[in-house]
Amino acid sequence: MRRVLLTLILCAQSASMSAASELAIFHTASFGSSRSVSLSLAEGRPARDPTFDFDVVITLSEFDGGGTVLYRDRGRHEASVRCVSPARVRINSADYAIDVSARPGADWKHDLWAALCAAPGS
C-alpha cells in the first residue's frame, strides 16, 4: 500500500513539476555566500527493476547569492531508488548504500532517498 501511495504522490509531483517553472529541489550545496548548486527531481515513475521503487531524472542548477540562475544543466541524470532495507540509490550501474539515519543535507543520495521514501505517510 505504501508503494502505491508513494507512486501516486511521485506521479502527481511529476505532473505538477511539468506545469510549474520551478522543480522540486531535494538537495542544495552552498559554496560561501555567493554560489549554491541545487539538485531537483525533474521526472519520476515506478521503477522498471522490481528491486527498486522509483526511477527518477535529476537536474542540476547553479545559483548566485541572490537566487538568480547562473547555469541550468540540460542533461538527463537518471537514478533508481530503493526505499526498503537495504536502502540504496543506483546511478548508472553503481549502487550506493543509504544510511537512513544520516542527517539531511550531508549527502545528496541520502536526500534523494529521503525525498521519495521518508515522505510523511497518512
Side-chain angles (χ1 to χ4, degrees):
M1 181 65 175
R2 178 184 170 143
R3 183 178 172 145
V4 171
L5 180 60
L6 287 172
T7 300
L8 290 173
I9 290 168
L10 185 61
C11 290
Q13 184 179 22
S14 293
S16 65
M17 284 188 283
S18 300
S21 60
E22 225 173 284
L23 301 171
I25 295 172
F26 65 86
H27 180 82
T28 299
S30 296
F31 302 95
S33 61
S34 63
R35 303 248 170 143
S36 65
V37 173
S38 293
L39 301 176
S40 305
L41 289 172
E43 295 177 23
R45 64 188 169 277
R48 285 183 228 122
D49 181 336
T51 62
F52 285 85
D53 296 295
F54 301 105
D55 288 336
V56 296
V57 174
I58 299 166
T59 62
L60 178 142
S61 300
E62 181 182 1
F63 300 90
D64 69 9
T68 301
V69 176
L70 299 174
Y71 173 75
R72 182 157 289 151
D73 183 6
R74 300 291 180 203
R76 295 180 50 85
H77 307 284
E78 297 181 358
S80 296
V81 178
R82 177 182 168 94
C83 292
V84 297
S85 184
R88 58 189 169 144
V89 170
R90 176 177 287 166
I91 296 131
N92 296 322
S93 59
D95 284 358
Y96 299 91
I98 301 301
D99 177 0
V100 298
S101 65
R103 292 183 22 193
D107 176 63
W108 72 267
K109 293 175 290 300
H110 173 271
D111 291 350
L112 172 62
W113 176 88
L116 296 169
C117 303
S122 55

